[in-house]
Each structure stands twice: as structure tokens, then as C-alpha cells.
């Protein structure tokens, strides 16, 4: 590993702990912040679950009644999925991935901090909804029309949608960061065949996150437009289709199931070999199965819609793809069992939790494949069978591996061991409690109990099973309290964990417990024989510490801390709150966010340009971290537009789209195309001029780009004004789609203009050099995407309707 790494100078004056947390870009601190915050939300979601089970424990209970039950149920589902299961995996990934691959930090450290703060503020915004006048009531799926202003007039739905946008961008930024880190920052000698299994799981999860999250962004954005301005793609009165919401929502939410479980598959593949004293069985097959699950998960979304789709052919196709996903999943389970076979097993808490996961997740998978049988799904749809199934997968599966990971890596994170006796009590409380809670719910589903009801009549045969299920939930709650107690007493004890207390084999066990801020004190050997480097180096006599060169303090450089990711997230949150309240907060939040982003862009990420260039030189690919992250983020943006275009064609081809008498002017659109395409050329040659140290050319062409973009926006505004004089987009499906798509594109143009303005000011101040100018490369790449998208907008929105 290179001795030059990403970094801040050593010897800086210590900050107060609270300021350190607000400004940190250290991946380990951010990882712990994710994990702790996720557990807080998990506790809140667990309390909500207990209230639900108490209400349903007997017929006619009055704990949660009517709308209040719907609100608690909606918050519970949203919390467990968006605020616990997904972000806690990001926490593990943040802490462990750089350590596992021999890196100092994540590829994009400040973006990493920005992602955490957006996640936190997004969750707080959702839970602050009572301050805005209401709480979401439509379930975590928020199906249309239950989510429109007629059925949910309060602002609870608005705050849920806007909070979810922050959380969604947090997930995308996290996914982009994991991809860039995995590709660029692996230690020299670590090829893809030596990449840790947890790394493969994070990589597959990140691909899903980056490409699928735009599905829920599009679905909820269209709901928000319907609620706020009346523009609707879902309103049947103007030819819209509420089923489109389900397609968009599940295009994200079924891959999201694998976003929630793939990281835990990776942790299973790390823990089992350690406590079986064997290499993982079938490394290549497991890595391939991980990526295969990610691919197939994009093909199964509509199995949630067997009762909503009227096409037997489509039902058959999605039934087949649903069963197909069981193949790579089965490969993983059999490889895990083969790893255990004839191993020297250690039955500590981490191993027991892992084995419990395999058992419970297998049950969840089998019951899920049963739902792929369309006639059976028709009977079980929206019943408690479905509730039991996804809890088997997401809670019975995921939470057991969360606990396994905590017990396994807690010594590394804290230098202390968790109490094993209490850990085993926790396992049995949860293993028994989980089955007592959810096995009766399969029976309730078979007996016909629908989900999302807050009471039921006596005499239906549901009373005993609901009571048993509620008793089981109390066992789960007792287990959680025992876990919190274990954490508290362990943190109060002395640090007794060595660098490698479990005799693990991946690189995180080569660091101190807890690791130093710079992670590694030595240069790692450059030869990786397998995915188990510490075992291989131990045999060669290279580890621990023999003949390994120590790093000097002057060789260690870390990224500069920054307050601006926190301030930018705070500003965005205030801006979104202003959108709900429709007051001065909107402009105050926008001003704070813009100021923070501009100041962030002006702030150096490294101690000096020389260090930044040296760090970039040691990337594994020819693309630097910033540009690699940009390309993947642009892939997510392209996915957003492709999803909207697909929804547009879905509506167009139904034949229910009525076109207004006065269509948007194609001549004006062609003129605007000339302006925008020309700006792409001026942006390209401005970048080219900077790369060849021609500053006047760079500044002149960048100014021309800004001028052309401004003209494009002005012409767009003129066109919109002309259309709005004679037509109401809320009363016409085509115009609703037109203003949505062109409006989203115009928003991207505005963002591009802001990026170019920042680059122009920085250029005037001499911030860029021919070799160091990410601040120009990033907006130029973004601008090219904006221009390419416009070509599709022109063809789809302006040209295609004339041929229908």
C-alpha cells in the first residue's frame, strides 16, 4: 500500500466532541454515527410495533383507534425500512470497507458526511410532521389515491415525501461512495478475486441503490405534484392511472428488499469462515451469486402487483423471474452450509446469530417463493401471511445479522468485548420470540386476517393467534433492552480486546482496536494470495509486523474536516420545511444551503495541491475519485429520467392521453435545442482550454456557456407562459406530463448553472490548475448529461405525440 494517502495534518488542536461530530469526515466516526442513529430509530419503530401488537392482542381494543392506528402503522413501516435496515448497513459499510481494503478513508469523505446528515435530517423531518399539522396515514407504501390531498389533506404526507427525498439522496450518495471506494482505493495487490465478501455485498447493494432509488423518487415526486399543484399522472379523471404509482414504487421497493439483505449476506460470509476455521466455500460462486441477485432483483417488481395487473402473460413472466431469484440465493445458502461442514465451530453469540439468520431467512425465502405462485398470491395478497413473510426476511433475517455483526466487530470498534453470557440470552430470547411472534401470523393469513386493520370481531378464530403473537413481541422487546444493557456495561469496562481477538483474516484485524484515525501504521504487503490475506501473510512470517515498514507521521495525510456538509443538510431541511409551511423558511433554507455549498466548493479538501495530486495518482483506476463518483451519480440521474420516460410511454400507449388544441411549439423547442447543444460544445472547449493552461479561453467559453444556458431557461419560461395562458395542466394528462418532464429538466439546468457559476468564480480566483480541476470536470460532465437528456425530451415530449 502506498504511504501517501488521503488526508489532514497531524498534531491539530483537539476539538470539543460535539464540534468533532459536526465536522468529522472520518469514515469510522461516520459509520458509528449511522449505527447509533439507526438503533435509536429502531427503538422508536419497536415501540410503535409493540403498540400495534397490543391493539391487536384482543378484539375491540382501544389502544390505537382509526386514523391514529394508521399513523403509527405508517411510521413503523417507514422507520424500520428507511431509517433502520438500510442505513445501519451503510454504517457497517462506512466503518469496515476502507479497513477491509487497506484504505485510509472513503473515496469521497465530505460527501460521506453529507449523506449521513441528510439521512438524519430526513428522519427528523418525517417525525416532525405533527409540528406541520399531521402524520402520514397511508402506510409506508403510500398508494395513490390514498395519498392524495382528498384522503390525506394534512401536511403529514408532504413531510413524509420530502423527508424521503433527503433519505433517498443520502442513499444514492452512499452508494456512489461505496462504488468509487471499491474500485479506486483497494490496496495494491488486492484484485477482484481477493476482494472481501462483505465488499462484494456492498458493491451489489450500491449498484441497486444508485439505479433503483430514482423509482421511489419519481413515484413520490409525482404524488407531491398532484397534492400541491394538481399536476397528476395518476388521476383517472384526466386519463391517468393509479397503477403507475405501484409500478414506479415497486421498481425501487423490490430491489430495496435486496438493498436491505445483501449487506447481511456479506457479513454472514465473513463470520462463518472465522468461527468455522475454514475458508469460505465457493468464493467465486458466492461473489457471482451476489451480483446475480442484484441483477435479477430488477426483473421482479411486479410480483407485488399480481392482483392489480389484468394480464395473465405479465403475471406469468413475473412469477418466473420471482422463482429465478431463488437460484442465486440458494447458491449462497448451500455454500454457507458447506463452509460450516466439518469445520471447527465456535458457538459464540456472533456465530449463533449467524446460524439463526440462515434458518429464519430460509423460511422467509420459501414463503416468498410460495407467493410467486399467482393463484396462491391472489388468496394471500394483503393478508397477514405477507406480513409474516417480509418480517421473516427483513427482521428475522436482517436483525440477527445486525447483532452478529455488532458482537463480531464491537471489539474492533471499541477495544472491548460484549458480554457473551448476555449475548446468548439475547439470542434465545430473540430466536424463540421471533418465531412466537411471526409463525402465528402465517396461520392468521391462512385464516383470512387482512393486514392494516386496527380491530376485528370475536369468533373469527383469530384471537388466540394474535395473543400468542403479541406475547412474542414482548420477548423481542426484552431482548432489545438486554442488548442495550450489554452495550452500557461493556463500554464502562476496560479495553481488553487485542488487534485480532477472533483470529480473523481480513485487513481490519491488522489494525489496533479501535483503529487509529489513519487506520494503518504500516505499509501493507503488496501480494494478496487470496481473500484471506492475514492467514497467507502469517504463513509467510509477514504478520503481525515482521519486516513490515512503519509509516512516519509525515507520510500520513487525512482529509480536512468540514462543517459545510452539516450546514448544507440543515439548509436543505429548512428549505423543505418551508415548502410545507409556505413561508419565509423556504427562502432562508435555500439561502443557507446555497451559501454552504458555495463555501464547501471553495474549501480545500487536502492540506495542499501536491498531496491531492499524489493521492489521486495512487487510485486503482485512471479516473480520480471525484469523477468516478460523478459518473455513477449521473447514472442515477439518467435512471430517474428513464423511469419518468417509461411512465410517460406507459400512459401514452394506453390511448387515454388527450392532447390539447394548442401543442407546445416544436419550432421553439428546436431553437432551444440549438442553444443547449451549443452550450455543451462551449463547456467542453472551456474545460479543454483549462487543461492546456489557457485561462482566458477557459473563462470566456465558460461565460458563453452560462449565457446560452440562461437563454435556454428564458425561452423555456416564455413557452410555459404561453401554454399556461390557454391551458390548465391539472386538467390535461399530456400537459401534466409535459410540465413535469420539462420542469425537472429545467431544474437540472438551474443546478448546472449554479455549478458553472461556482467554477467561474473559482477560475477567476485561480483555484484550478491544468492537472487539478475537478471543480470544472464535474459540472462539464453533468452538463453533457443535461444536454443528452434534452434530446430525449425533444423526441419524446414534442415529436412522439405527433405520430400517435
Amino acid at each position: 500500500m502506498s504511504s501517501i494517502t488521503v488526508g489532514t495534518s497531524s498534531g491539530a488542536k483537539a476539538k470539543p466532541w460535539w464540534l468533532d461530530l459536526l465536522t468529522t469526515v472520518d469514515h469510522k466516526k461516520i459509520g458509528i454515527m449511522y449505527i447509533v442513529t439507526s438503533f435509536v430509530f429502531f427503538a422508536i419503530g419497536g415501540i410503535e410495533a409493540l403498540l400495534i401488537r397490543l391493539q391487536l392482542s384482543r378484539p375491540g381494543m382501544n389502544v390505537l383507534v382509526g386514523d391514529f392506528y394508521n399513523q403509527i402503522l405508517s411510521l413503523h413501516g417507514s422507520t424500520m425500512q428507511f431509517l433502520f435496515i438500510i442505513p445501519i448497513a451503510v454504517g457497517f459499510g462506512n466503518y469496515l470497507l476502507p479497513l477491509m481494503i487497506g484504505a485510509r478513508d472513503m473515496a469521497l469523505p465530505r460527501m460521506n458526511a453529507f449523506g449521513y446528515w441528510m439521512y438524519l435530517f430526513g428522519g427528523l423531518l418525517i417525525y416532525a410532521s405533527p409540528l406541520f399539522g399531521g402524520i402520514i396515514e397511508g402506510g409506508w407504501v403510500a398508494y395513490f389515491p390514498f395519498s392524495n390531498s382528498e384522503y390525506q389533506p394534512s401536511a403529514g404526507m408532504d413531510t413524509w415525501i420530502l423527508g424521503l427525498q433527503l433519505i433517498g439522496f443520502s442513499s444514492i450518495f452512499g452508494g456512489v461512495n461505496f462504488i468509487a471506494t471499491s474500485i479506486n482505493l483497494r490496496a495494491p495487490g488486492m484484485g477482484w478475486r481477493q476482494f472481501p465478501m462483505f465488499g462484494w455485498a456492498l458493491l451489489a447493494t450500491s449498484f441497486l441503490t444508485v439505479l433503483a432509488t430514482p423509482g421511489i423518487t419519481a413515484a413520490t415526486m409525482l404524488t407531491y405534484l398532484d397534492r400541491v399543484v394538481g399536476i397528476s399522472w395518476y388521476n383517472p379523471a384526466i386519463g391517468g392511472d393509479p397503477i403507475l404509482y405501484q409500478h414506479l414504487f415497486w421498481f425501487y421497493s423490490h430491489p430495496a428488499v435486496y438493498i436491505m439483505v445483501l449487506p447481511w449476506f456479506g457479513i454472514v460470509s465473513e463470520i462463518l469462515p472465522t468461527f468455522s476455521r475454514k475458508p469460505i466455500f465457493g468464493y467465486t460462486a458466492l461473489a457471482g451469486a451476489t451480483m446475480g441477485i442484484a441483477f435479477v432483483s430488477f426483473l421482479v417488481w411486479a410480483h407485488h402487483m399480481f392482483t392489480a395487473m389484468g394480464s395473465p402473460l405479465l403475471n406469468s413472466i413475473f412469477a418466473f423471474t420471482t422463482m429465478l431469484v431463488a437460484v442465486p440465493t440458494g447458491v449462497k445458502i448451500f455454500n454457507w452450509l458447506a463452509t460450516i461442514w466439518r469445520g471447527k465451530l465456535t458457538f459464540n453469540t456472533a456465530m449463533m446469530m449467524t446460524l439463526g439468520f440462515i434458518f429464519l431467512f430460509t423460511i422467509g425465502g420459501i414463503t416468498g417463493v410460495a407467493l410467486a405462485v399467482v393463484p396462491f398470491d391472489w388468496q394471500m395478497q394483503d393478508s397477514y401471511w405477507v406480513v409474516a413473510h417480509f418480517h421473516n426476511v427483513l427482521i428475522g433475517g436482517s436483525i440477527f445479522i445486525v447483532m452478529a455483526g455488532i458482537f463480531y466487530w464491537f471489539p474492533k470498534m471499541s477495544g472491548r468485548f460484549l458480554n457473551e453470557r448476555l449475548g446468548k440470552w439475547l439470542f434465545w430470547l430473540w430466536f424463540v420470540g421471533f418465531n412466537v411472534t411471526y409463525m402465528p401470523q402465517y396461520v392468521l393469513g391462512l385464516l383470512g386476517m387482512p393486514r392494516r386493520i386496527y380491530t376485528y370481531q370475536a369468533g373469527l378464530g383469530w384471537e388466540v393467534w394474535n395473543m400468542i403473537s403479541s406475547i412474542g413481541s414482548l420477548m423481542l422487546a426484552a431482548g432489545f433492552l438486554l442488548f442495550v444493557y450489554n452495550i452500557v456495561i461493556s463500554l464502562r469496562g476496560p479495553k481488553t480486546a487485542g488487534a485480532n481477538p477472533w483470529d480473523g483474516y481480513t485487513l481490519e484485524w491488522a489494525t489496533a482496536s479501535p483503529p487509529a484515525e489513519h487506520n494503518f501504521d504500516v505499509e501493507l504487503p503488496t501480494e494478496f494470495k487470496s481473500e484471506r490475506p492475514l492467514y497467507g501473510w502469517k504463513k509467510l512470517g509477514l504478520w503481525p509486523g515482521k519486516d513490515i515498514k512503519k509509516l512516519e507521521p509525515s507520510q500520513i495525510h487525512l482529509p480536512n474536516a468540514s462543517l459545510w456538509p452539516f450546514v448544507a443538510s440543515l439548509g436543505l431541511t429548512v428549505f423543505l420545511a418551508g415548502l410545507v409551511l409556505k413561508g419565509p423558511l423556504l427562502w432562508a433554507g435555500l439561502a443557507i444551503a446555497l451559501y454552504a455549498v458555495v463555501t464547501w466548493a471553495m474549501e480545500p479538501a487536502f492540506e495542499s495541491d501536491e498531496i491531492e495530486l499524489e493521492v489521486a495518482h495512487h487510485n486503482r483506476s485512471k479516473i480520480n475519485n471525484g469523477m468516478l463518483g460523478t459518473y455513477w451519480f449521473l447514472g442515477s440521474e439518467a435512471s430517474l429520467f428513464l423511469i419518468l420516460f417509461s411512465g410517460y410511454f406507459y400512459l401514452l400507449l394506453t390511448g387515454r392521453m388527450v392532447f390539447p388544441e394548442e401543442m407546445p411549439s416544436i419550432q421553439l423547442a428546436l431553437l432551444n435545442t440549438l442553444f443547449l447543444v451549443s452550450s455543451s460544445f462551449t463547456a467542453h472547449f472551456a474545460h479543454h482550454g483549462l487543461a492546456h493552461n489557457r485561462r482566458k479561453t477557459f473563462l470566456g467559453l465558460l461565460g458563453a456557456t452560462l449565457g446560452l444556458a440562461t437563454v435556454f431557461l428564458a425561452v423555456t419560461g416564455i413557452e410555459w407562459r404561453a401554454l399556461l395562458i390557454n391551458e390548465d395542466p391539472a386538467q390535461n394528462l399530456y400537459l401534466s406530463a409535459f410540465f413535469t418532464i420539462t420542469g425537472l429538466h429545467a431544474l437540472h439546468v438551474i443546478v448546472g448553472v449554479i455549478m458553472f457559476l461556482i467554477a467561474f468564480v473559482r477560475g477567476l480566483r485561480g483555484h484550478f490548475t491544468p492537472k487539478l480541476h475537478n471543480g470544472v470536470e464535474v459540472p462539464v460532465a453533468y452538463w453533457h448529461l443535461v444536454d443528452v437528456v434534452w434530446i430525449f425530451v425533444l423526441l419524446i415530449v414534442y415529436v412522439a405525440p405527433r405520430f400517435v
Side-chain angles (χ1 to χ4, degrees):
M1 179 177 173
S2 166
S3 58
I4 298 292
T5 53
V6 200
T8 37
S9 59
S10 57
K13 185 179 179 180
K15 300 176 184 176
W17 67 268
W18 58 268
L19 183 59
D20 182 49
L21 292 182
L22 292 180
T23 61
T24 187
V25 295
D26 183 345
H27 72 97
K28 299 179 291 298
K29 292 177 183 176
I30 292 172
I32 292 174
M33 288 159 68
Y34 264 110
I35 291 171
V36 171
T37 306
S38 298
F39 268 117
V40 171
F41 281 121
F42 177 62
I44 295 171
I47 292 171
E48 292 161 349
L50 286 174
L51 291 174
I52 291 168
R53 286 313 322 160
L54 180 59
Q55 169 63 27
L56 295 173
S57 60
R58 297 175 59 192
M61 293 286 283
N62 292 311
V63 179
L64 305 172
V65 179
D67 289 344
F68 189 40
Y69 178 88
N70 293 337
Q71 292 166 357
I72 296 299
L73 184 68
S74 301
L75 286 174
H76 166 72
S78 301
T79 300
M80 289 304 198
Q81 298 187 78
F82 302 126
L83 300 177
F84 171 63
I85 295 284
I86 294 175
I88 199 170
V90 178
F92 275 101
N94 258 287
Y95 195 97
L96 294 168
L97 182 64
L99 292 170
M100 285 183 160
I101 65 175
R104 292 280 186 256
D105 212 302
M106 297 286 281
L108 305 166
R110 291 188 295 181
M111 189 64 73
N112 198 25
F114 190 42
Y116 168 76
W117 293 115
M118 283 201 295
Y119 151 62
L120 174 62
F121 284 126
L124 293 177
L125 186 60
I126 289 174
Y127 270 91
S129 60
L131 302 177
F132 299 94
I135 302 175
I136 179 178
E137 299 175 14
W140 72 274
V141 295
Y143 279 168
F144 196 89
F146 304 119
S147 57
N148 72 9
S149 54
E150 179 183 354
Y151 292 98
Q152 289 194 62
S154 76
M157 177 59 67
D158 297 328
T159 54
W160 181 82
I161 291 172
L162 296 175
L164 217 57
Q165 304 310 307
L166 285 178
I167 296 166
F169 274 104
S170 168
S171 295
I172 291 171
F173 289 150
V176 163
N177 223 336
F178 285 133
I179 293 171
T181 302
S182 300
I183 293 173
N184 263 1
L185 298 188
R186 286 172 289 123
M190 180 181 281
W192 289 113
R193 292 184 65 85
Q194 294 84 41
F195 197 49
M197 284 307 307
F198 184 52
W200 279 112
L202 284 175
L203 194 61
T205 303
S206 299
F207 290 148
L208 288 174
T209 301
V210 168
L211 298 177
T213 302
I216 195 170
T217 301
T220 53
M221 178 185 70
L222 293 175
T223 299
Y224 185 76
L225 288 175
D226 180 278
R227 291 177 57 84
V228 175
V229 296
I231 289 177
S232 181
W233 293 36
Y234 307 138
N235 184 2
I238 61 171
D241 190 351
I243 298 299
L244 175 61
Y245 177 91
Q246 295 188 38
H247 280 291
L248 297 176
F249 180 86
W250 288 113
F251 184 78
Y252 161 77
S253 291
H254 194 82
V257 171
Y258 298 99
I259 292 171
M260 296 175 202
V261 300
L262 279 175
W264 315 127
F265 289 177
I267 290 179
V268 172
S269 300
E270 299 294 345
I271 292 177
L272 285 182
T274 298
F275 297 122
S276 299
R277 314 317 303 167
K278 286 176 59 182
I280 191 73
F281 182 87
Y283 170 89
T284 303
L286 273 173
T290 301
M291 303 308 289
I293 289 170
F295 173 75
V296 178
S297 70
F298 279 108
L299 308 177
V300 299
W301 80 87
H303 76 208
H304 295 271
M305 301 168 56
F306 285 149
T307 57
M309 293 189 301
S311 169
L313 176 61
L314 287 176
N315 282 351
S316 299
I317 291 171
F318 285 103
F320 171 75
T321 56
T322 302
M323 294 179 183
L324 186 64
V325 80
V327 176
T329 306
V331 168
K332 297 182 82 68
I333 291 172
F334 283 113
N335 279 29
W336 293 334
L337 296 177
T339 301
I340 298 169
W341 181 253
R342 294 187 175 179
K344 297 179 181 179
L345 305 185
T346 301
F347 287 102
N348 56 18
T349 303
M351 186 65 163
M352 292 169 68
M353 288 288 186
T354 303
L355 297 176
F357 163 85
I358 295 173
F359 175 79
L360 293 173
F361 183 82
T362 302
I363 292 175
I366 292 170
T367 56
V369 172
L371 290 172
V373 180
V374 177
F376 183 75
D377 182 86
W378 284 345
Q379 297 299 315
M380 294 297 107
Q381 179 73 18
D382 281 333
S383 76
Y384 259 77
W385 176 285
V386 178
V387 176
H389 156 67
F390 71 68
H391 279 87
N392 244 125
V393 172
L394 298 182
I395 302 300
S398 298
I399 192 61
F400 274 73
I401 286 300
V402 168
M403 287 301 160
I406 293 290
F407 274 83
Y408 185 56
W409 280 297
F410 191 82
K412 176 57 58 182
M413 295 178 180
S414 68
R416 301 169 174 87
F417 292 97
L418 287 169
N419 185 293
E420 278 293 318
R421 183 179 180 185
L422 294 178
K424 290 175 180 176
W425 271 103
L426 168 65
F427 169 77
W428 288 113
L429 270 172
W430 270 10
F431 187 77
V432 175
F434 181 86
N435 285 290
V436 171
T437 302
Y438 291 105
M439 288 301 171
Q441 294 184 16
Y442 286 111
V443 179
L444 287 167
L446 292 170
L447 292 175
M449 181 173 176
R451 61 198 291 193
R452 302 193 185 103
I453 59 170
Y454 74 89
T455 190
Y456 53 92
Q457 294 178 346
L460 296 174
W462 301 348
E463 297 96 324
V464 172
W465 300 109
N466 271 303
M467 179 58 71
I468 293 172
S469 181
S470 297
I471 291 171
S473 69
L474 294 175
M475 297 177 69
L476 297 177
F480 181 76
L481 293 175
L482 187 65
F483 167 71
V484 173
Y485 175 71
N486 198 346
I487 292 284
V488 171
I489 64 170
S490 298
L491 287 177
R492 294 176 66 181
K495 293 184 179 181
T496 57
N500 192 359
W502 308 125
D503 196 19
Y505 55 87
T506 42
L507 291 183
E508 76 272 22
W509 302 111
T511 65
S513 297
E517 186 178 8
H518 51 274
N519 291 346
F520 297 92
D521 291 318
V522 299
E523 290 189 21
L524 299 177
T526 57
E527 186 176 11
F528 286 69
K529 296 287 187 181
S530 72
E531 75 279 4
R532 304 173 51 172
L534 293 193
Y535 283 8
W537 294 342
K538 189 174 182 180
K539 289 181 180 178
L540 295 173
L542 294 175
W543 209 268
K546 294 182 180 179
D547 300 322
I548 302 294
K549 183 180 177 182
K550 276 276 198 181
L551 293 176
E552 298 296 329
S554 61
Q555 295 176 297
I556 298 169
H557 302 277
L558 298 171
N560 291 328
S562 177
L563 182 65
W564 301 114
F566 166 78
V567 177
S569 301
L570 177 63
L572 285 173
T573 307
V574 173
F575 169 72
L576 295 178
L579 281 178
V580 178
L581 296 176
K582 299 177 176 61
L585 277 181
L586 188 151
W587 301 109
L590 185 61
I592 293 169
L594 286 175
Y595 178 79
V597 168
V598 171
T599 311
W600 177 353
M602 301 289 184
E603 184 182 68
F606 301 89
E607 295 175 47
S608 68
D609 292 349
E610 290 77 14
I611 290 173
E612 185 167 2
L613 286 170
E614 186 66 25
V615 170
H617 175 72
H618 290 281
N619 288 346
R620 294 295 299 273
S621 72
K622 294 181 180 179
I623 306 172
N624 65 54
N625 295 336
M627 287 309 299
L628 187 57
T630 298
Y631 291 143
W632 278 100
F633 177 74
L634 295 183
S636 183
E637 291 295 282
S639 176
L640 173 61
F641 278 102
L642 286 172
I643 288 168
L644 280 177
F645 293 160
S646 299
Y648 171 81
F649 274 113
Y650 173 89
L651 296 173
L652 186 65
L653 297 177
T654 60
R656 290 181 293 180
M657 186 176 284
V658 177
F659 300 106
E661 293 183 7
E662 184 178 342
M663 292 286 286
S665 170
I666 195 167
Q667 291 82 7
L668 204 58
L670 289 171
L671 178 64
N672 236 3
T673 302
L674 176 63
F675 294 137
L676 200 60
V677 172
S678 298
S679 73
S680 203
F681 283 99
T682 57
H684 171 77
F685 286 110
H687 175 219
H688 188 267
L690 179 60
H692 290 80
N693 207 23
R694 296 195 291 268
R695 292 189 171 275
K696 289 184 178 179
T697 301
F698 159 64
L699 291 171
L701 289 174
L702 197 58
T705 304
L706 286 166
L708 289 166
T710 303
V711 172
F712 174 87
L713 289 172
V715 172
T716 300
I718 291 169
E719 181 182 41
W720 287 356
R721 185 173 183 276
L723 286 170
L724 289 172
I725 289 173
N726 299 313
E727 301 286 351
D728 181 4
Q731 301 302 318
N732 184 275
L733 181 59
Y734 168 78
L735 287 178
S736 286
F738 171 84
F739 277 101
T740 301
I741 292 172
T742 58
L744 182 63
H745 180 266
L747 177 61
H748 281 72
V749 173
I750 292 170
V751 171
V753 167
I754 293 171
M755 294 168 72
F756 278 136
L757 279 171
I758 294 172
F760 189 82
V761 173
R762 294 186 67 191
L764 288 173
R765 295 187 177 187
H767 285 194
F768 304 121
T769 69
K771 291 184 178 180
L772 190 63
H773 50 261
N774 261 20
V776 176
E777 284 184 289
V778 169
V780 168
Y782 176 89
W783 197 250
H784 290 328
L785 174 72
V786 168
D787 288 359
V788 170
V789 167
W790 174 255
I791 300 299
F792 283 95
V793 172
L794 174 70
L795 295 174
I796 291 169
V797 176
Y798 289 88
V799 177
R802 288 165 169 80
F803 295 93
V804 175

